[in-house]
Amino acid sequence: MPCGVVGAGNWMPSALLPALRVQTGCAVVGCVAGGLEKAESFALEMEIGRAFDRVEGMLADRGAVAIVHSASPMGLAPSPARAAYCAPKAVVVSLTRSMAVDGAADNIRVNCVCPGIIRTPMLERRFATQRDRNEACRATVERPPIKHLGRPEEVAASIACLASDEAGFVTGSALTIDGGIGAA
C-alpha cells in the first residue's frame, strides 16, 4: 500500500525518517519543515501548502493509500505563550480529519501522530543552551508519567502501525505519543 508521512516538525528529517523508512517500507515519505524556530506568521500557510503538495503526488498513484501527518500534542491542547507554534499544529490535526472524511470513499486513510518530548539532536541542542544542562535534562525526563523521553523509533513504530493494513479501519485519528503528559 502506498503510504506517506507529512510532518510539521523540523525534528523529522534527521531523527525519524531513517527509522520510518525501515519500519514502514513507505513508497513516499515527505517532511514539512517547521517547528518552534520557524513559527512565524507564515508558518500556517507554508505547512499546509507543503502538506497538500506532498499528498497530491501520492494520490496520483491511487489504490489504497495511507497518509500519516505529524503534528504535536500542542495542536490538541495549546500551551500558554506558544500560539505561533500551537496554531499550525492544530491546523495539521484538523487537516488530517478533513482529508480523512474526504478521502474515505477513495480508500484513502489519513491519520496524524502527535509526538511529545522526543530525544533528538534538536532537544540535545536545547539542553546545551541551558545553564545547567544536566538539570534541564533531568527535569524534562520527569515530565512524562512514564519517566523517560520518547525515542524516534517509538514514533516510527506508531506511524508504521497507522500506515499498515492492520490499521485499515483507522482514519481521521490523532495519536498522541507523549508518555502520558496529555493524559495527566
Side-chain angles (χ1 to χ4, degrees):
M1 165 186 308
C3 68
V5 177
V6 179
N10 59 9
W11 59 272
M12 282 186 69
S14 61
L16 176 63
L17 293 182
L20 184 60
R21 285 187 183 109
V22 169
Q23 292 189 35
T24 66
C26 281
V28 177
V29 178
C31 182
V32 176
L36 191 56
E37 293 80 16
K38 296 184 181 182
E40 315 253 342
S41 60
F42 64 89
L44 188 74
E45 180 182 334
M46 295 300 291
E47 288 189 20
I48 300 310
R50 288 184 184 145
F52 274 116
D53 289 346
R54 296 283 187 190
V55 169
E56 267 184 22
M58 288 179 52
L59 297 184
D61 186 21
R62 286 306 220 198
V65 174
I67 298 168
V68 182
H69 293 145
S70 177
S72 165
M74 285 194 241
L76 299 168
S79 294
R82 302 297 279 286
Y85 180 82
C86 297
K89 306 309 180 191
V91 170
V92 172
V93 172
S94 184
L95 173 68
T96 296
R97 292 175 176 155
S98 295
M99 289 177 66
V101 171
D102 292 343
D106 293 320
N107 205 18
I108 299 167
R109 294 185 303 106
V110 186
N111 292 291
C112 179
V113 293
C114 297
I117 305 168
I118 308 298
R119 177 155 259 160
T120 63
M122 185 175 87
L123 183 61
E124 294 297 331
R125 286 190 301 274
R126 184 171 293 158
F127 289 154
T129 66
Q130 303 301 308
R131 189 171 17 161
D132 186 341
R133 183 204 181 285
N134 291 333
E135 175 56 24
C137 182
R138 187 204 59 74
T140 303
V141 168
E142 287 299 313
R143 286 187 61 204
I146 287 183
K147 303 299 180 218
H148 72 83
L149 301 180
R151 295 174 300 128
E153 296 81 8
E154 292 170 314
V155 177
S158 298
I159 293 171
C161 176
L162 289 172
S164 73
D165 290 336
E166 286 77 18
F169 198 61
V170 181
T171 193
S173 293
L175 176 63
T176 304
I177 309 164
D178 68 354
I181 290 175

